[in-house]
Amino acid sequence: MADEIAPEYDVVVLGTGLTECILSGVLSVKGKKVLHIDRNDHYGGEASSINLEALFKKYGNYAKGTEPWKQYGRMNDWNIDLVPKFLMSSGELTNILVSTDVTRYLEFKQVAGSYVQQGDGPKATVAKVPSDAAEALRSPLMGLFEKRRMKSFIEWVGQFDVKDSATHKGLDMSTCTMREVYDKFGLEAGTKDFAGHAMALYQTDAYLDIKGGAPEAVERLKLYGNSVARYGKSPYIYPLYGLGELPQGFARLSAIYGGTYMLNTSVDELVFEDGKAVGIKATMTGIEPEMKFETRAKTILGDPSYFPDKVTVVGHVLRAICILKHPLANTNDSDSCQIIIPQSQVGRKNDIYVACVSSAHNVCPKGYWIAIVSTIAETSANHHLELAPGIERLGRIEEQFMGPPIPLYEPITDGTKDNIFISKSYDPSSHFETTTDDVRDIYSRIAGEELKVEGLREGIQVAAE
Amino acid sequence: MADSGNAPKPSSSVKLVLLGEAAVGKSSLVLRFVNNDFQENKEPTIGAAFLTQKCNLPTRTIKFEIWDTAGQERFASLAPMYYRNAQAALVVYDLTKPTSLIKAKHWVAELQRQASPGIVISLVGNKLDLTNDGAGDGGGEEGAAEDSGDARKVTTEEAKTYAEDEGLLFFETSAKTGYNVTEVFTAIANSIPETSLKTARGPNASHAPSRTEEQRVNLNGPRDSGAKDSCAC
């Protein structure tokens, strides 16, 4: 078996999270010889979807000798995401899926609704985020006059072009802050809140006062609007059987283009020459006898867990995975939805997100919903209190899984010196746009050129297809 | 057999997965079925991972979406996605290599564990052209019988008995000569229960997609039209 491993690869990839699998897929399509390794027996790493038994065992929240998962139907019917995210239907991940034809292996469904909370405690209301000017006029989130102001703001966003100063309302976009733009339209604090957090999807208010930050904020509002416009109900889509399908799809793409895949394989040692990583020593287990091998690599990339000395913690995410037997209240009995609780509504600095999917997405048996509440940790203890405003939205909870704060890692160096390129942890944002930013960033550092997504597979289609 | 061109028959897509040890001829069988072609000393599978081929039955058309392992079986790293919703599987072994039948039995067990309960599995012993049985059927040009170089190491009896015990379809084929290849696919097409086919039959069903179907989204939009429409069986 070991003789099937080449003495050298262009790229050795460690960890099969989404970032790594997209990079493997793209690099394989570009003709690179890729060896892709994961220490786990399954694909996805931190971004996998696991069944309920595995989830109980991961969190250990059950009495020894009992099997609480037995009351929840067939374990194969459960695909519970560890990282809650949706795809923006007009976002970059969608573009990459289409241009690589990975869409052939996946089926997507719309997320039924995108909601935002106004107010706190018993007075809190949850309402649909208006996606276009017409919805703005019907929205209970605003009073009569504010609705009109919001309508003209949304219309302006739709025709904004950063290159065309005639669309800039007389504001200087090179220095203008988003706060100034909101003020130009006379928008109230509550409206700014849901526009910035539930539509532009900023997780804090820092964006409001960035000089020259207005164009980016407007682009984010546009992405939201375009994504809603694509399929109608919400800006989000979600793959059947859970997010864990995404890395599998890209791994398959890589394999089709010659990528070699090894699960159950741990890295024993990174081999260095003159300060540069040039290969790995690894062991594949789960087979008899276990197989030790060594191979060289021109480039090594991977997720932070494979390079503990080369990453730093930049924050902590709090996350509670909850199993419900009902849809979320005030979401029109949606089979899926997102609720954003903007930070200022509940006296926080970071938003709280609630992401909910159900049997409609083949992630659980009929009659169940999976809701994940998450936010960035702001305190060093009592983390459950930080998530409380989100948990309150869920009603009766059958099972709840919440561990210690999850560290967010970033690489210390950019890899150009030591030849090791490390991805970032999945941030708490509700979508994959930052993940694809990371993919692009790593790709340009490795390849020395920008990743062109359009037409990625054109011209290199093999004859058999 | 060409398409008769009469009133359109109901057509359904069926996901078929290939399994088997490396170099038993998985891709060659599909290449023979889809393109009626054979390549000697074909490289291990690269690039061909999703082929489609229609199979016309008297009352309906089955469009096979054939998934190749793309080599991910080599280090036991096939993703669950591979088995997901597969309605048919071709488990291939090499008639001249007994270990490949052992491996095939392993894959059958894996399918029974991971795949949908109603999956139709066909056990296929390939490389019949390397045996004495293969000479006549293959048109004689191989001349395998002349030097009595019968390389068969797995008897028909042994594999057939196993297939019957497990409720599998069973064929011996030669991707090289084409012997029995379309028969495998036709037999699979005939064995797929009509109730498990995706496309609902009848005027009402086709015009009233269920609530869940309606929410599925097609990311490719009009781009998605590359399916092959030729007919091989």
Side-chain angles (χ1 to χ4, degrees):
Chain A
M1 222 173 169
D3 57 349
E4 292 183 54
I5 298 161
E8 185 176 30
Y9 289 86
D10 293 324
V11 189
V12 167
V13 183
L14 308 178
T16 54
L18 181 59
T19 310
E20 288 72 34
C21 286
I22 297 175
L23 282 163
S24 271
V26 168
L27 289 164
S28 298
V29 168
K30 294 268 185 187
K32 300 281 187 225
K33 192 177 169 74
V34 173
L35 174 66
H36 201 153
I37 285 172
D38 196 304
R39 67 167 81 83
N40 300 307
D41 64 359
H42 58 270
Y43 285 88
E46 291 295 305
S48 54
S49 306
I50 63 178
N51 71 37
L52 196 53
E53 179 179 347
L55 193 65
F56 268 108
K57 288 181 173 165
K58 181 179 168 70
Y59 283 87
N61 57 339
Y62 63 102
K64 232 184 156 155
T66 64
E67 296 180 317
W69 51 87
K70 289 254 161 105
Q71 57 180 301
Y72 292 101
R74 278 180 12 143
M75 281 307 107
N76 277 354
D77 291 340
W78 290 89
N79 297 290
I80 303 164
D81 300 330
L82 297 177
V83 174
K85 278 180 186 288
F86 295 135
L87 286 83
M88 302 290 291
S89 58
S90 290
E92 187 66 1
L93 182 53
T94 308
N95 294 339
I96 295 175
L97 283 162
V98 171
S99 72
T100 53
D101 265 357
V102 171
T103 43
R104 286 184 155 185
Y105 315 132
L106 302 165
E107 273 192 279
F108 289 89
K109 260 191 183 180
Q110 282 193 67
V111 172
S114 165
Y115 295 83
V116 64
Q117 174 173 326
Q118 269 192 344
D120 191 6
K123 280 195 228 150
T125 56
V126 169
K128 191 164 187 293
V129 179
S131 52
D132 57 26
E135 272 196 3
L137 287 176
R138 293 195 303 269
S139 175
L141 291 165
M142 296 163 286
L144 186 61
F145 294 106
E146 182 69 356
K147 278 178 186 169
R148 294 194 186 147
R149 289 189 284 268
M150 184 61 178
K151 177 174 179 283
S152 65
F153 173 67
I154 289 180
E155 283 166 351
W156 172 75
V157 166
Q159 50 87 61
F160 176 84
D161 177 356
V162 71
K163 294 194 200 88
D164 179 3
S165 60
T167 66
H168 295 178
K169 281 256 170 195
L171 296 164
D172 178 357
M173 284 299 148
S174 61
T175 58
C176 182
T177 66
M178 198 58 199
R179 190 188 297 278
E180 287 166 336
V181 172
Y182 288 141
D183 290 345
K184 183 91 184 171
F185 286 87
L187 295 181
E188 294 166 0
T191 311
K192 287 177 197 170
D193 236 22
F194 79 71
H197 293 262
M199 297 171 75
L201 301 167
Y202 286 108
Q203 294 154 60
T204 73
D205 265 347
Y207 80 100
L208 277 171
D209 297 306
I210 297 172
K211 282 237 175 287
E216 191 206 308
V218 173
E219 284 309 320
R220 291 171 77 136
L221 289 165
K222 264 190 159 162
L223 173 62
Y224 187 92
N226 291 340
S227 293
V228 177
R230 190 151 180 201
Y231 300 113
K233 289 189 176 163
S234 82
Y236 302 115
I237 54 173
Y238 184 86
L240 295 188
Y241 303 101
L243 298 177
E245 299 292 282
L246 294 166
Q248 292 179 42
F250 285 102
R252 179 164 171 79
L253 173 71
S254 167
I256 288 164
Y257 283 88
T260 299
Y261 276 78
M262 301 180 78
L263 301 180
N264 281 315
T265 301
S266 53
V267 178
D268 305 320
E269 192 187 330
L270 293 167
V271 181
F272 286 87
E273 280 173 13
D274 304 326
K276 269 188 185 294
V278 293
I280 58 159
K281 292 180 181 172
T283 307
M284 183 180 189
T285 56
I287 48 167
E288 283 300 325
E290 62 176 35
M291 176 175 70
K292 287 198 176 292
F293 65 94
E294 191 175 342
T295 187
R296 290 178 70 86
K298 296 197 181 85
T299 300
I300 294 175
L301 73 92
D303 77 47
S305 68
Y306 290 85
F307 311 98
D309 310 339
K310 294 183 175 287
V311 293
T312 178
V313 175
V314 294
H316 287 88
V317 184
L318 306 177
R319 208 173 275 153
I321 300 173
C322 302
I323 309 296
L324 315 176
K325 278 186 174 169
H326 55 82
L328 300 191
N330 305 313
T331 63
N332 195 25
D333 289 346
S334 293
D335 59 34
S336 54
C337 65
Q338 170 181 270
I339 301 175
I340 291 180
I341 305 174
Q343 32 92 35
S344 60
Q345 302 293 322
V346 289
R348 291 178 51 76
K349 295 191 194 69
N350 294 274
D351 294 351
I352 298 171
Y353 287 146
V354 181
C356 181
V357 286
S358 69
S359 57
H361 307 88
N362 303 5
V363 295
C364 55
K366 277 218 160 25
Y368 289 99
W369 279 255
I370 301 168
I372 306 184
V373 181
S374 59
T375 190
I376 293 267
E378 295 175 5
T379 60
S380 52
N382 291 322
H383 294 114
H384 61 285
L385 294 179
E386 293 200 52
L387 288 179
I391 300 285
E392 282 166 19
R393 299 260 57 90
L394 307 187
R396 184 189 145 94
I397 295 169
E398 308 301 320
E399 302 288 348
Q400 180 174 334
F401 304 87
M402 185 181 166
I406 302 158
L408 292 174
Y409 296 102
E410 276 186 14
I412 297 167
T413 60
D414 69 2
T416 44
K417 281 213 174 65
D418 57 7
N419 211 21
I420 291 174
F421 300 86
I422 306 170
S423 61
K424 296 175 182 170
S425 304
Y426 301 97
D427 69 16
S429 67
S430 65
H431 49 69
F432 286 106
E433 297 305 299
T434 48
T435 306
T436 48
D437 286 348
D438 198 25
V439 166
R440 287 182 163 280
D441 187 37
I442 294 170
Y443 181 87
S444 68
R445 276 183 271 139
I446 290 175
E449 56 170 28
E450 293 297 309
L451 173 61
K452 266 217 190 69
V453 167
E454 294 73 27
L456 201 55
R457 285 182 73 177
E458 282 163 27
I460 43 171
Q461 293 270 17
V462 286
E465 287 192 303
Chain B
M1 212 190 300
D3 206 324
S4 53
N6 292 334
K9 287 182 279 190
S11 166
S12 353
S13 291
V14 165
K15 175 174 170 180
L16 180 148
V17 296
L18 291 170
L19 289 163
E21 197 175 72
V24 294
K26 297 186 291 293
S27 302
S28 296
L29 277 169
V30 172
L31 212 58
R32 173 60 75 187
F33 173 58
V34 174
N35 292 345
N36 198 19
D37 189 17
F38 181 81
Q39 292 166 12
E40 201 80 50
N41 302 321
K42 193 181 166 297
E43 291 288 305
T45 304
I46 288 183
F50 194 92
L51 296 157
T52 61
Q53 177 64 290
K54 279 187 179 171
C55 192
N56 277 317
L57 301 180
T59 58
R60 53 182 171 155
T61 302
I62 301 279
K63 183 182 159 200
F64 282 113
E65 294 174 356
I66 303 164
W67 288 47
D68 208 320
T69 55
Q72 280 178 301
E73 83 283 20
R74 231 175 301 157
F75 297 105
S77 299
L78 268 179
M81 160 187 278
Y82 190 70
Y83 303 101
R84 184 109 57 215
N85 293 328
Q87 290 159 281
L90 220 61
V91 180
V92 187
Y93 68 95
D94 177 346
L95 288 168
T96 69
K97 206 176 164 200
T99 54
S100 71
L101 180 62
I102 294 171
K103 195 75 196 182
K105 291 178 179 175
H106 157 84
W107 287 117
V108 170
E110 193 69 6
L111 281 166
Q112 286 163 345
R113 195 173 67 83
Q114 294 222 41
S116 334
I119 189 168
V120 174
I121 305 173
S122 181
L123 181 69
V124 176
N126 191 35
K127 305 199 182 176
L128 193 63
D129 51 277
L130 298 178
T131 73
N132 286 342
D133 310 315
D137 296 316
E141 78 270 25
E142 307 305 325
E146 277 153 45
D147 50 8
S148 71
D150 189 347
R152 181 192 280 275
K153 296 272 167 52
V154 179
T155 64
T156 308
E157 200 53 38
E158 182 192 355
K160 198 174 179 188
T161 307
Y162 164 72
E164 277 166 6
D165 289 349
E166 295 292 331
L168 318 175
L169 299 171
F170 172 66
F171 288 90
E172 291 188 341
T173 61
S174 166
K176 186 168 177 175
T177 68
Y179 174 75
N180 242 358
V181 174
T182 51
E183 285 77 356
V184 175
F185 289 89
T186 311
I188 290 174
N190 275 313
S191 302
I192 307 243
E194 297 219 3
T195 49
S196 78
L197 292 172
K198 270 191 222 160
T199 315
R201 300 185 63 181
N204 294 327
S206 58
H207 293 296
S210 67
R211 189 181 137 87
T212 49
E213 288 302 318
E214 148 185 72
Q215 285 172 357
R216 298 219 176 150
V217 295
N218 177 8
L219 299 185
N220 292 59
R223 289 171 42 117
D224 195 12
S225 61
K228 277 181 75 99
D229 277 4
S230 62
C231 165
C233 55

